[in-house]
Amino acid sequence: MSEKKNTGKKAVIAVIVIALIVVIIALVAVISGKSKKDGSKSATEAGTEAGSETMRSGQFDIDYAKQVTKLADYSGIAITVSNDYEINDTAKQTYLTNVLQSYGADAYKQVTDRDTVADGDYVKVDYTGYKDGTAFDGGSATDVMLDVTNNSQVGGSSFIDGFTKPIIGAKVGDKVKGDVTFPEDYGNDDLNGQTVTFEYTVKGIYSADPVALADMTDEQVNTVFGKAGVTTNAQLSTQIEKDLNKQLYSAEVNKVKSYMIENSTVEIPDEYLQARLNEYIASFTKENVKDGQTLKKYLKSNYNMTVDQATEKWKENLTDQIKTEFIFGLIAEKENIKMDDDTFNSYVDYIVSASNGQFSKASEVYKYFGSGHKDEGKTYLKNQYLVNKAIDKVTEKANVTFEDGSAAPDTSSGSADAE
């Protein structure tokens, strides 16, 4: 709660895992080619007979060829990605630092020749915020690395003015307190303009020099990453290379999607888009808005947005998502991309295993992606798999260069096929 609010949140840094992370998309929908014999309706029929309020997206019969009135040439697309995605020693060090931070491990070299915090230090602390003597929700954190000079979390957002000032001059092991005042427009009605007290426990002093991969012993690697199956320095080095390759591939995929959207013409039925939007809002509310809180209050507190602003943003994102599904669904049909039952079952089993306990069996996955309707969810996942395979196919054939004109390396191992 002490960090300044932003209208958007930074992407979460990827952590090392052995298998490719599956993004569980909460845009619960289905874009199937069902036969109308099963009771599904065309977009026009559905909107006319029932209205968008009562139609689930899984009840629409989407014909990709009719909705994509112009399909861009997708053979050998020329795309350019940022040089930030080059895989070199600097990129590997930055990635290691981010991963160590995400695992709660020391990412910077500890200072051992003194025990007093000075300007310019990084400092690990626990802190708790008190308002009128009572700890307030969201005001506490443990093992946070602070950049005391820049009044920010190392590698993260800035704090409210004066937040790190009480730590300067403290010794390791000390508990110190300091008062700070939240801005009037902080975005939380309970804290706007309020003066509160933060108590800090100083746990360690660190320099701005990051821990280098070459300095990490096998024992240290195993301690931090052992549960992820990475136990030696050599394995960590290999995994970092793989993960950076996947990040580059993801950047290429995003460029390919953008190119195809910009150069194709796609018509999205209004009723279908509204159904998808309704489902997304319902899913977002169910997963995030708790304890009697309203969606309005949640969005204001966490994103400083109104419901109307959030809805417009969600609609914009959904529009691009649906265009992507229609375009690459059509490409999958043109390229005769198929999937047998064993492949699909393995795909679903992987979603279950990668869900961190959210799903325990396939039927739960189907129900989640089908807005409570297992058959629709299963059809959606099958179509989504084919869409992703089509994206892989187009991306692997793209002509990719970095901004400086150099050719990007082969990233086919970053695709779903590699897993």
Side-chain angles (χ1 to χ4, degrees):
M1 288 298 297
S2 56
E3 293 183 45
K4 290 182 178 178
K5 289 289 191 297
N6 297 311
T7 55
K9 290 191 174 182
K10 293 184 177 180
V12 178
I13 298 297
V15 297
I16 288 182
V17 290
I18 295 305
L20 176 65
I21 296 173
V22 170
V23 178
I24 305 298
I25 305 170
L27 309 178
V28 183
V30 61
I31 47 176
S32 69
K34 293 180 180 178
S35 165
K36 293 181 184 178
K37 292 180 182 179
D38 67 359
S40 62
K41 307 288 185 182
S42 70
T44 302
E45 291 170 334
T48 301
E49 292 185 15
S52 59
E53 297 84 4
T54 59
M55 292 299 297
R56 301 186 303 272
S57 61
Q59 295 175 293
F60 286 75
D61 180 21
I62 300 296
D63 185 336
Y64 297 130
K66 289 182 178 178
Q67 304 306 143
V68 182
T69 57
K70 174 190 173 186
L71 180 64
D73 183 0
Y74 54 88
S75 59
I77 296 173
I79 57 174
T80 302
V81 296
S82 169
N83 282 87
D84 292 340
Y85 289 100
E86 284 192 275
I87 302 173
N88 50 37
D89 289 342
T90 299
K92 291 177 183 179
Q93 179 60 62
T94 299
Y95 187 79
L96 173 63
T97 299
N98 289 333
V99 170
L100 286 170
Q101 288 176 320
S102 70
Y103 270 72
D106 289 342
Y108 296 88
K109 296 178 180 177
Q110 189 164 10
V111 174
T112 57
D113 59 352
R114 57 183 171 84
D115 64 355
T116 302
V117 178
D119 200 17
D121 286 337
Y122 289 171
V123 184
K124 184 189 291 185
V125 303
D126 295 343
Y127 67 79
T128 301
Y130 298 90
K131 179 185 174 186
D132 300 326
T134 302
F136 56 86
D137 290 341
S140 302
T142 59
D143 291 333
V144 179
M145 190 73 77
L146 303 180
D147 180 343
V148 297
T149 300
N150 293 307
N151 193 53
S152 66
Q153 185 170 340
V154 173
S157 302
S158 297
F159 291 95
I160 56 177
D161 291 343
F163 181 76
T164 61
K165 186 176 180 180
I167 303 168
I168 298 176
K171 293 181 180 296
V172 175
D174 282 354
K175 287 188 175 182
V176 295
K177 294 181 179 181
D179 292 342
V180 295
T181 301
F182 284 90
E184 293 288 347
D185 60 350
Y186 180 67
N188 183 316
D189 292 340
D190 294 331
L191 296 174
N192 290 339
Q194 298 295 304
T195 297
V196 302
T197 299
F198 280 96
E199 181 178 75
Y200 312 81
T201 299
V202 180
K203 303 178 76 172
I205 301 172
Y206 297 79
S207 73
D209 296 326
V211 172
L213 179 61
D215 295 333
M216 295 188 69
T217 65
D218 289 349
E219 182 179 4
Q220 289 173 319
V221 171
N222 185 47
T223 298
V224 178
F225 303 114
K227 290 184 178 180
V230 178
T231 61
T232 67
N233 186 288
Q235 288 177 338
L236 179 58
S237 180
T238 298
Q239 190 61 46
I240 289 174
E241 189 92 24
K242 288 181 179 179
D243 289 351
L244 288 174
N245 191 65
K246 289 172 184 175
Q247 288 187 356
L248 172 57
Y249 182 77
S250 293
E252 294 172 359
V253 164
N254 289 335
K255 289 287 186 177
V256 164
K257 289 179 181 178
S258 295
Y259 176 89
M260 292 302 296
I261 289 173
E262 290 169 5
N263 293 279
S264 300
T265 303
V266 183
E267 297 178 0
I268 303 175
D270 291 340
E271 298 88 350
Y272 181 74
L273 177 58
Q274 188 61 50
R276 290 285 294 263
L277 181 60
N278 292 344
E279 290 164 356
Y280 181 78
I281 293 173
S283 177
F284 181 91
T285 302
K286 181 178 179 180
E287 294 181 12
N288 295 284
V289 181
K290 308 292 184 182
D291 302 325
Q293 188 180 36
T294 64
L295 178 61
K296 177 181 179 180
K297 188 170 183 180
Y298 177 85
L299 291 171
K300 179 65 175 177
S301 176
N302 289 275
Y303 297 95
N304 196 27
M305 298 177 74
T306 67
V307 174
D308 285 345
Q309 288 172 330
T311 300
E312 283 303 307
K313 188 63 178 177
W314 290 332
K315 188 174 182 179
E316 178 184 332
N317 292 340
L318 273 169
T319 298
D320 283 347
Q321 171 74 15
I322 295 169
K323 285 183 177 180
T324 298
E325 292 169 356
F326 287 7
I327 289 168
F328 289 94
L330 179 58
I331 292 173
E333 291 177 354
K334 287 181 173 294
E335 296 294 327
N336 199 31
I337 297 173
K338 302 292 184 182
M339 173 181 56
D340 57 39
D341 289 341
D342 289 341
T343 300
F344 177 69
N345 290 336
S346 296
Y347 173 62
V348 176
D349 287 344
Y350 181 72
I351 293 177
V352 171
S353 66
S355 70
N356 294 320
Q358 183 177 1
F359 307 120
S360 61
K361 54 186 177 182
S363 61
E364 294 176 357
V365 178
Y366 301 150
K367 188 174 181 179
Y368 178 84
F369 282 95
S371 192
H373 298 268
K374 290 186 287 187
D375 289 345
E376 293 174 12
K378 187 173 183 178
T379 304
Y380 170 75
L381 284 172
K382 286 183 176 180
N383 282 281
Q384 192 65 32
Y385 181 90
L386 296 175
V387 165
N388 288 335
K389 299 304 284 186
I391 291 172
D392 282 346
K393 188 178 185 71
V394 175
T395 302
E396 288 163 12
K397 291 184 177 181
N399 296 314
V400 187
T401 57
F402 289 114
E403 290 172 335
D404 63 5
S406 61
D410 177 23
T411 57
S412 57
S413 61
S415 70
D417 288 330
E419 304 302 323

